[in-house]
Amino acid sequence: MTPSARIQATIDILERLGIENRPADALVSAYFRTRRFIGSKDRSEVAARVYAVLRHHARLGWWLAKVEAEDTPRNRVIAELTLAEGVAVKDMGRLFSGETYAPIPLDGPEDKLVKATAGQPLDHPDMPKPVRSEIPDWASPSLEAMFGDRFEVEVNALLDQAPLDLRVNELRGTRDEVLQTLIAGKLDVVATPLSPLGIRVKGRPQLGRHPAFQSGLIEVQDEGSQLVALLVDARPGQQVVDFCSGAGGKALALAARMKGKGRVVACDVSKGRLDRGKERLRRAGIDNVEPRLLENERDRWVKKQRGKFDRVLVDAPCTGTGAWRRNPDARWRPMDLERLLGVQREILDSAARLAKPDGGRVIYATCSLLREENEAQVEGFLAAHPDYRLLPVETVWDETVGTGPAPTTGMLRLSPAANGTDGFFVAVLERGPKADAASGEAADAGEPDDADAAAEGEEG
C-alpha cells in the first residue's frame, strides 16, 4: 500500500467505527479479514494510526473545536497527521491526491484546518486537565479521588500502548523452554517480573502462525490477567467455576494450573463468547473445561450448584478503565456507572452461593481502577455476608505467585504506571461459618444467609 492508501484505510475504519456499535479491535480485525491482499506491514501501520487517533480522541476534538472545523473521522485523521505526526502543509496535498486508493483532495475548510494545525503540538497549554489526560467526565472525579497526587502519572500511563504479553501453557512446557524457543526464532522477549508464567514481547510480531502459538504452548494474555488466574489458587482435583468467562482466557489458565485434573465450569451469558473459547481449549490440549451458558446471573443452574465449588472466580463486567491502553475507544462509550455497580453486586451475590460453605473461596476481580467497582463492592459484600472474610492477598500471593512480595496488601491493585500491567483489582474472599457479631461464636453453618434465602424466593 502507498502512504496515501494507508491513510484512506484509516479513514474508512474510523468511519465504520462511528456507524457500527462494535469494539475497535473487532472492527479492525473484520476490516482486514475481508481484505487479505493487505500485507502484514501495512496492516500494522494502519492499525497503529487508527489506535493513535482513538488514543488522542479528546485532544483532537479540542483542536477541531478550537479551529472551528467539523468533527468527522476524516478531519480527525487530518489533525492527527499534522498535530501528532508532524506532516507539513506542503506534503498534505500529495497524500490527499485523489489518485487510486488515495483520499480525495482537500477542500477549502480542510485546507484551513491543515494550515491552522500544522506545526502545532498535540498538547496545548490551554487544554483542561481531563482533555490533556483523555479522561471522560464520568471517570475524572473518581480517578482523581483514587490517585490524589499521582493522578497525572497514573492516567498518563493509560495513554501508552500496552505491551504484548504471553502466558506459557503449563501443560505443554516451562517458561524457560519457551523463552529459548522464541529467542531462537529471533523474537525479542523477556520474562515478566510478576507472573511466573509470563513473557513480554517487544514490538508487535505476527504470532498467529507461530508454531508455539499454533501448538498451544503460548496464549496472549496480559500479565495482570495472569496474576488474577494465579490468585484463584486452583488446585488439581478441585471444582472451579469461572463465572464471567467470556472467551475463556482465565479458564484456560485455571485448567492448566490444575494439570487437567478436576473440573472448570466456564460460565457466560453469551454463547458467542463461549464458542470462541472452544478453539482455544482444543489448541491448548485442555479437556477439563465445561462451557455453561447462563440466562442471567440468577440462572437456575446456580441454585442447583450452590455450595459445590472450591473456587469461584468472578471477573465482573466493569468500566474497563484499567484496560484503556488496549481499548482506547472504550473511554468514550456511554457509561451508566450506577447501573453497572448494581449489576456487579448482583453477580457477586449470586456467584457467592456456589462456594463451598467451609473454606470455599470467591475471587472478585475487575479490570477497573475505580474504587466504587473494587474496594467499595467488596466492603459492601462482606457487610451483607457474615459467612465470608477477606483473605489477605499477600498470603495467597506467596503460595501461588511467589515472585517476591505482593505489590499491595489486603486487596490487590495493579496499574500501568505502578506495575506495568493493565489495571486490575483482586480480592480473595473465603467462606466459613457465620461469626456472631456479639459473641464471636460460630453460628449454625447450615442456615442459609439472607441473600441465599432471598434468591431462593426469587427463583421459586
Side-chain angles (χ1 to χ4, degrees), residues 403-423:
T403 53
T408 54
T409 59
M411 305 180 219
L412 182 68
R413 174 179 280 277
L414 303 169
S415 75
N419 310 104
T421 67
D422 283 353

Side-chain angles (χ1 to χ4, degrees), residues 53 56-58 60-61 64 71-80:
V53 172
H56 301 155
H57 176 88
L60 292 175
L64 292 177
D71 193 343
T72 65
R74 179 175 158 100
N75 275 353
R76 282 181 173 267
V77 173
I78 291 171
E80 173 70 19

Side-chain angles (χ1 to χ4, degrees), residues 254-267:
L254 296 173
R257 177 112 298 207
M258 296 163 66
K259 304 185 186 306
K261 300 174 182 178
R263 180 175 68 136
V264 178
V265 181
C267 299

